[in-house]
Amino acid sequence: MKQIANWALNVATMRGSSYADARIVSQKGRALTTKNGKVGSASDADSIGMSVRVLADGAWGFAASEDLSRAGVEATAARAVEIARASAQVKQQDVRLAPEKSVTAEWTTPHAIDPFSISVEQNIALLLNVDSELRAVAGITLAESNLNFNREEQWFVSSEGSDIHQTKYSAGAGYTAYAFAGNEIQKRSYPNSYGGQWQNKGYELIEELKLLQNARRIAEEAVALHSADQCPEGTFDIILDSSQLGLQIHESIGHPIELDRVLGMEANFAGTSFLTLDKLRTLRYGSEMVNVVADARQEHGPGLGTFGFDDEGVPAQCTPIITNGLFTGYLSSRETAHTIGENRSGGTLRAEGWNRLPMIRMTNISLLPGEKPLSLEQLIASTDHGILMQTNRSWSIDDRRYNFQFGCEIGWEIKHGKRARMVKNPSYSGITTEFWNSLDAICSRDEWTLWGTPNCGKGQPQQVMGTGHGAAPSRFRKVKVGSAYKGS
Amino acid sequence: MLARDQAADIFDRIKRLSGADEIEVLFSGGRFALTRFANNTIHQNVAEENHVVSVRTVFDGRTARATTNRFDDDGLRGAVESSEALAKVQHADSDLLPMPDSREAAGSADSSVRATQFPSRHFAQTAAISPQLRAGTVKKIVEVAQKHKLTTAGIFSNSETVEGIFNSRGLSDWHTQTLAEVSITMLGADSSGWQKANSPDVADLDPPALAEIAAKKALDSAHPGEIPAGKYTVILEPAAVLDMVGFMFWDYSGMAILDQRSFLTGRIGSQLFGDNITIWDDATHPGQTGSLFDGEGMRRLRVPLVENGVVKRVVYARATAERMKRSEHRDQAGPIEVTGHGFPLPNEMGEMPLNIVFAAPQDPQTLAQMIASTERGVLVTRLWYIREVEPYEKMLTGMTRDGTFLVENGRVRQGVRNFRFNESLIHMLSNVEAMSAPRRACGEESFDMVVPAMRVRDFNFTEVTKF
Ligand SMILES: [Zn+2]
């Protein structure tokens, strides 16, 4: 494989590129779903190909092909250089890359059990058992479950001499129970909505999730929502569970800190960011207790943003994003690092596959847990009047990442430190920095979960990427609740 | 580009590798190139060539799929073996039907919509667009930006793709298509404007003209004022309409009715929208793209989904139609007929209409006429980050973006800060006061359709953002 990639580098260099890298990626995936007692889909997919990224005349070119023959690879490299020269027709200045030491390395996602070694029978049996638990509860009208396994092997070489062989594994699993009655559809999901929990791990993730043990409770909650009161509207203290908080971090911290958005590179599609360069080390992003990192290193945990090296050969790093409430860092790349006065990339460039250009993507953007011991039950006990919200149902935020609105599957009104009643259709909204400045309690490490968001979209053509978000349940004071349903 | 006769040879090789009762092979792929610009600079510029082959085997009522982009013997054998291994470990599914033959696939479609007589959606001049030509077009867009002291960001792309199906009952079908697309954002200090268009024929696109419209929106919305949230008459441009209404078509599916996840459950045959709303699914419409066959090779029929505000029908894949005939929901499911809208099997979603065409109103008005007859309202260029808040009333939330204006006394008065809306699609389509002639439009939240601009009363803006 290395030899194939080197054919590409040779042609790119011969044709006058000042920098080139080549990635050969082999991807393999398995997706299994069930619906109402039957297998919904069962499919395997594999894909292999190569891309070449070059700088010529100070501008970028990129070409990708399934054809790994010598002639095919050389044609792809030549195309990349031709495209770069076309790019150079419309440029304001030359691209500058921050220096990076070349490296020869091997890296593999730590995993106990290769998920592809577990029989499909066993996987389907697990899902069908979950399905029958869900539908054993009267009132459940639709039950869906999923298991997903992925393996991605990549060979990366660059004209600066880097040679990196990396293999990543990820797994995901979850289920949803729906209850339709009257004029209403309610649902509950476990361990999270939209595909469940995802991590860079082997099959051991599935065993840790206790899917079957939670199915009955989840189905009962979906049915019970029909007799619950509508979540009240007004200003409330709210407690978010760790999965909803993970998505809140993704949307209102993870995206605005992407330096390509800040610099306008996504203005036509994903949007820009309120975090203009003057905000670095001056903006009070959140309250004193807010500490957020972008951490791709193995020691942060098995997040979807954990790797050895990014897709331009930069080693995994930890960047402080918010430090005691102060905004302290962006997600950067070799091309963009100089715009924030850094002489090295933060190592966040990743591509969806062999046929996509690597872009700045979130790694694991995590809110660090509270230092004093605090369980969710203790947090509830210390709340006089508030709403606890669990499991995301809808999410939306403007294209500069100020105004957001989230809906959750289930809520609980808290009165005098106790869960007083279940409420349905809970939602909350706000302005990013006002919201994070209203945070006044974070649960401690034993309530902290590293969630995976498998479906983050960005770029043109759009690329879907997995990102990680560690969070523990937290409380926010005086938040606007229920405006989604106001006036409807 | 993979040709149909090459695909037929590959299908024969795959058939020889498999011992399955039935076998179906889907082909897709082609060439795609996209030049992306921002800050008046081409900053990303990509090209790709890839094809995939997807094998579905059936053993005694059990089926599964495996997909690969390796067309050598090892790759094909691997896909066949994976598909067979996945299929064999399942329980037999009594709803699985034998694969259709070509006679069944043609269905009740009248001969006028047969592919042989259908105008091609493949244009050589779109396929032939070079990196130099894309850069030259971007240069013209940048010149428009510079003329108006704005910066621009966007894309210009072209593709040439194939889609094909072969099965062991002798069915085969093939579709080739090109598509050129341009999307342009113009940015001022505190404002922006946007335009996007695509077509199989690049000659239909006029990027400098779109750049001028986007620039005018950015200039006209400079120094936006803030007006309070509340219910407003809104004028939604076609891109805003399609990004909203796209969220309901997943529910126009027999499977969604069976699963009781559709907002049409219990509502088919009733007046759900205003009597000025009529919607078709029509893959043959000249403003549409895509193939004329579905995931099993069935011919896509032209289906009236909504007539004068009454929900008439949902679409059906073959197995869904059979299931519905036996279901307790059959009397509330509209006419049950295989319509050629199925997804490739196996899947959980069943089917969906993807070639939406709104019927022209009796008295179409131009956008300018709608503005001129509006006493007070908000003109919306596009919407963004739309998500479903409540599934049965189809309540959606989202933001306005890239050109939001206050209209007063029949004139565009000024740009205003962007709003968040929380609005029911049922409510919205019951309150349409005026429409333009429908046209092909594209956004970012939903698939491309043929839709009008709409003036809608009592549209529910719930919050204002900071820009
Ligand atoms: Zn995202």
Side-chain angles (χ1 to χ4, degrees):
Chain A
M1 289 296 176
K2 188 183 163 185
Q3 187 193 3
I4 294 173
N6 279 329
W7 295 336
L9 294 187
N10 290 340
V11 168
T13 305
M14 250 160 45
R15 300 222 169 195
S17 73
S18 57
Y19 170 85
D21 58 38
R23 289 183 306 119
I24 299 175
V25 184
S26 171
Q27 286 172 308
K28 177 176 161 186
R30 173 166 293 164
L32 303 170
T33 68
T34 63
K35 191 180 86 177
N36 281 356
K38 295 209 298 200
V39 172
S41 65
S43 59
D44 278 356
D46 65 61
S47 183
I48 185 166
M50 188 198 63
S51 57
V52 187
R53 187 179 73 138
V54 305
L55 276 177
D57 298 344
W60 284 117
F62 176 92
S65 173
E66 62 203 332
D67 187 349
L68 295 182
S69 69
R70 181 157 191 161
V73 165
E74 291 181 347
T76 301
R79 192 173 305 128
V81 176
E82 183 200 356
I83 289 172
R85 296 206 193 282
S87 301
Q89 291 175 38
V90 189
K91 69 172 180 185
Q92 307 300 322
Q93 57 202 16
D94 287 2
V95 172
R96 282 160 55 189
L97 294 184
E100 186 63 41
K101 263 204 328 250
S102 68
V103 59
T104 299
E106 282 274 342
W107 193 87
T108 301
T109 300
H111 60 286
I113 307 165
D114 178 351
F116 293 95
S117 72
I118 302 297
S119 76
V120 176
E121 287 102 314
Q122 183 182 332
N123 287 321
I124 289 176
L126 170 64
L127 293 183
L128 288 174
N129 283 339
V130 166
D131 179 283
S132 66
E133 274 292 293
L134 295 174
R135 289 185 306 124
V137 174
I140 293 301
T141 48
L142 174 62
E144 292 182 321
S145 71
N146 65 281
L147 273 178
N148 300 74
F149 305 116
N150 295 294
R151 179 186 189 276
E152 181 187 299
E153 183 172 13
Q154 173 167 292
W155 294 264
F156 171 92
V157 298
S158 78
S159 58
E160 295 171 348
S162 277
D163 176 1
I164 299 166
H165 179 217
Q166 186 162 237
T167 306
K168 289 185 261 187
Y169 286 86
S170 65
Y175 53 81
T176 301
Y178 296 78
F180 173 80
N183 276 341
E184 210 173 309
I185 301 167
Q186 290 291 347
K187 67 167 178 167
R188 284 291 286 132
S189 308
Y190 182 86
N192 198 358
S193 46
Y194 306 104
Q197 167 65 314
W198 293 65
Q199 290 189 327
N200 277 14
K201 243 186 199 182
Y203 194 80
E204 62 273 19
L205 172 71
I206 310 306
E207 295 170 342
E208 291 160 13
L209 291 177
K210 299 189 167 49
L211 295 171
L212 197 55
Q213 294 89 319
N214 284 281
R216 190 65 67 111
R217 170 179 66 85
I218 286 295
E220 286 168 354
E221 287 180 355
V223 174
L225 280 166
H226 280 279
S227 37
D229 295 325
Q230 173 73 21
C231 181
E233 190 230 317
T235 301
F236 290 89
D237 294 345
I238 64 169
I239 297 173
L240 299 180
D241 77 347
S242 63
S243 67
Q244 171 57 32
L245 190 53
L247 189 62
Q248 175 80 49
I249 293 165
H250 178 99
E251 301 293 359
S252 69
I253 299 176
H255 279 301
I257 62 174
E258 293 164 343
L259 196 46
D260 54 349
R261 286 183 73 117
V262 174
L263 298 173
M265 296 179 182
E266 284 285 332
N268 178 246
F269 180 62
T272 58
S273 172
F274 73 93
L275 284 176
T276 45
L277 297 177
D278 55 301
K279 304 275 194 323
L280 186 63
R281 289 183 277 273
T282 61
L283 174 74
R284 183 137 291 281
Y285 208 119
S287 62
E288 282 281 323
M289 59 178 56
V290 177
N291 284 288
V292 173
V293 295
D295 196 345
R297 300 170 308 159
Q298 207 167 299
E299 48 264 51
H300 190 71
L304 291 183
T306 302
F307 48 76
F309 298 85
D310 78 354
D311 289 343
E312 59 178 352
V314 179
Q317 296 166 43
C318 177
T319 303
I321 300 298
I322 302 175
T323 308
N324 301 327
L326 186 72
F327 171 51
T328 51
Y330 289 103
L331 301 175
S332 67
S333 60
R334 291 187 65 186
E335 180 183 359
T336 57
H338 73 91
T339 65
I340 49 170
E342 299 287 339
N343 53 18
R344 192 186 181 203
S345 162
T348 70
L349 222 59
R350 284 192 291 158
E352 180 188 85
W354 59 264
N355 55 349
R356 289 288 176 267
L357 181 72
M359 309 179 20
I360 292 178
R361 301 307 301 239
M362 290 175 226
T363 54
N364 301 304
I365 315 300
S366 298
L367 174 67
L368 300 181
E371 281 169 12
K372 287 190 207 116
L374 180 68
S375 68
L376 175 59
E377 291 313 312
Q378 287 167 332
L379 180 57
I380 290 169
S382 73
T383 302
D384 185 52
H385 187 201
I387 314 277
L388 165 66
M389 300 191 196
Q390 297 175 307
T391 317
N392 182 263
R393 194 167 90 174
S394 68
W395 68 105
S396 174
I397 186 164
D398 70 51
D399 59 283
R400 293 189 202 169
R401 305 274 152 173
Y402 283 110
N403 176 289
F404 61 82
Q405 177 183 304
F406 291 94
C408 289
E409 290 184 350
I410 190 169
W412 303 86
E413 187 172 14
I414 297 164
K415 277 192 174 156
H416 311 304
K418 295 209 158 55
R419 294 179 199 224
R421 57 172 178 158
M422 180 190 289
V423 291
K424 68 185 178 189
N425 304 328
S427 69
Y428 66 98
S429 54
I431 296 292
T432 292
T433 46
E434 292 170 13
F435 181 77
W436 286 106
N437 275 287
S438 77
L439 186 150
D440 83 334
I442 306 175
C443 290
S444 45
R445 174 68 62 177
D446 38 347
E447 299 273 0
W448 193 86
T449 305
L450 184 48
W451 291 98
T453 300
N455 56 349
C456 179
K458 186 179 176 183
Q460 295 162 301
Q462 192 175 181
Q463 301 187 42
V464 175
M465 186 59 66
T467 63
H469 306 288
S474 300
R475 183 173 61 199
F476 299 82
R477 296 290 193 184
K478 294 196 172 68
V479 176
K480 201 164 162 188
V481 169
S483 79
Y485 288 84
K486 195 178 172 183
S488 65
Chain B
M1 283 277 295
L2 188 68
R4 184 174 186 157
D5 54 345
Q6 288 174 298
D9 288 344
I10 294 165
F11 175 64
D12 285 338
R13 277 161 64 200
I14 289 171
K15 261 198 309 193
R16 285 196 293 274
L17 292 167
S18 175
D21 303 347
E22 293 188 304
I23 190 157
E24 170 200 273
V25 177
L26 305 180
F27 293 91
S28 62
R31 298 186 303 123
F32 173 82
L34 182 147
T35 297
R36 199 175 192 210
F37 52 100
N39 300 312
N40 296 350
T41 297
I42 293 176
H43 66 311
Q44 293 172 8
N45 203 348
V46 302
E48 166 195 1
E49 180 152 5
N50 191 28
H51 294 84
V52 300
V53 55
S54 183
V55 179
R56 180 166 74 93
T57 53
V58 179
F59 292 90
D60 195 20
R62 297 163 298 168
T63 192
R65 177 174 296 285
T67 302
T68 183
N69 74 337
R70 294 180 298 138
F71 285 68
D72 57 10
D73 285 338
D74 280 353
L76 298 179
R77 189 177 299 109
V80 167
E81 285 171 359
S82 291
S83 164
E84 291 185 347
L86 283 170
K88 282 176 178 169
V89 298
Q90 298 184 38
H91 305 289
D93 177 2
S94 56
D95 293 326
L96 186 70
L97 301 173
M99 290 179 184
D101 58 20
S102 49
R103 198 190 159 94
E104 183 190 344
S108 59
D110 77 61
S111 54
S112 66
V113 301
R114 296 281 163 79
T116 46
Q117 295 171 25
F118 189 73
S120 172
R121 287 173 172 164
H122 184 280
F123 291 81
Q125 63 170 339
T126 304
I129 295 173
S130 66
Q132 291 75 18
L133 196 143
R134 289 195 303 277
T137 302
V138 171
K139 195 165 196 166
K140 287 181 196 153
I141 295 167
V142 168
E143 282 162 7
V144 172
Q146 286 167 335
K147 183 176 79 185
H148 295 293
K149 300 193 164 51
L150 299 167
T151 56
T152 187
I155 58 132
F156 182 37
S157 71
N158 66 303
S159 64
E160 181 184 26
T161 52
V162 297
E163 196 181 324
I165 182 167
F166 294 77
N167 77 24
S168 51
R169 287 177 164 255
L171 177 151
S172 75
D173 215 334
W174 195 254
H175 175 71
T176 61
Q177 181 174 300
T178 52
L179 195 73
E181 181 164 278
V182 60
S183 180
I184 302 167
T185 302
M186 290 282 176
L187 296 122
D190 57 5
S191 65
S192 54
W194 172 87
Q195 290 290 287
K196 181 178 179 183
N198 66 29
S199 172
D201 185 358
V202 67
D204 292 341
L205 305 183
D206 187 348
L210 293 173
E212 288 288 356
I213 299 170
K216 181 165 169 37
K217 283 179 177 290
L219 296 170
D220 289 352
S221 61
H223 319 303
E226 182 170 331
I227 59 173
K231 294 200 175 183
Y232 285 87
T233 292
V234 292
I235 298 165
L236 304 173
E237 295 200 17
V241 171
L242 92 89
D243 274 344
M244 284 285 282
V245 299
F247 278 74
M248 72 176 177
F249 292 109
W250 293 94
D251 291 23
Y252 285 74
S253 142
M255 188 67 87
I257 302 289
L258 285 170
D259 289 342
Q260 299 183 79
R261 63 172 167 80
S262 171
F263 83 114
L264 302 176
T265 304
R267 286 168 166 166
I268 296 174
S270 67
Q271 175 98 35
L272 201 54
F273 311 126
D275 55 17
N276 53 355
I277 302 296
T278 294
I279 307 171
W280 292 78
D281 185 82
D282 183 3
T284 65
H285 188 280
Q288 279 294 347
T289 56
S291 70
L292 299 188
F293 52 90
D294 78 355
E296 288 182 275
M298 300 295 290
R299 180 69 50 201
R300 295 187 186 280
L301 303 188
R302 182 171 185 260
V303 180
L305 302 171
V306 177
E307 274 179 18
N308 304 319
V310 178
V311 179
K312 287 290 185 186
R313 294 179 63 162
V314 296
V315 297
Y316 287 96
R318 296 165 73 236
T320 310
E322 287 307 309
R323 266 188 68 191
M324 186 62 88
K325 286 175 193 165
R326 292 181 268 118
S327 153
E328 55 180 328
H329 304 291
R330 64 179 177 269
D331 296 331
Q332 293 185 305
I336 304 168
E337 182 192 7
V338 179
T339 59
H341 292 81
F343 293 119
L345 295 174
N347 72 76
E348 314 86 61
M349 300 302 286
E351 58 279 310
M352 174 181 179
L354 284 162
N355 295 101
I356 299 299
V357 177
F358 275 64
Q362 278 179 342
D363 52 343
Q365 297 187 31
T366 63
L367 202 62
Q369 286 172 319
M370 280 189 227
I371 292 167
S373 60
T374 299
E375 204 178 305
R376 183 177 162 83
V378 175
L379 170 63
V380 176
T381 299
R382 73 184 288 207
L383 298 173
W384 176 245
Y385 224 126
I386 304 173
R387 290 295 181 275
E388 184 179 274
V389 170
E390 200 287 325
Y392 199 71
E393 293 309 312
K394 271 284 172 272
M395 191 143 70
L396 307 179
T397 192
M399 300 297 304
T400 66
R401 180 176 175 182
D402 293 333
T404 307
F405 300 90
L406 175 65
V407 176
E408 269 182 337
N409 303 321
R411 295 180 56 186
V412 174
R413 184 63 57 190
Q414 67 167 131
V416 292
R417 285 189 171 181
N418 287 295
F419 287 108
R420 169 170 300 287
F421 64 89
N422 279 276
E423 174 69 22
S424 152
L425 267 178
I426 298 172
H427 180 263
M428 172 181 144
L429 292 177
S430 299
N431 288 311
V432 178
E433 295 179 335
M435 281 183 269
S436 69
R439 65 170 173 82
R440 178 175 176 79
C442 45
E444 299 292 355
E445 300 283 326
S446 299
F447 51 94
D448 306 341
M449 326 175 178
V450 179
V451 287
M454 288 181 179
R455 189 174 70 205
V456 179
R457 66 176 171 274
D458 291 336
F459 194 86
N460 191 25
F461 290 127
T462 52
E463 290 178 1
V464 189
T465 189
K466 300 282 185 194
F467 60 97

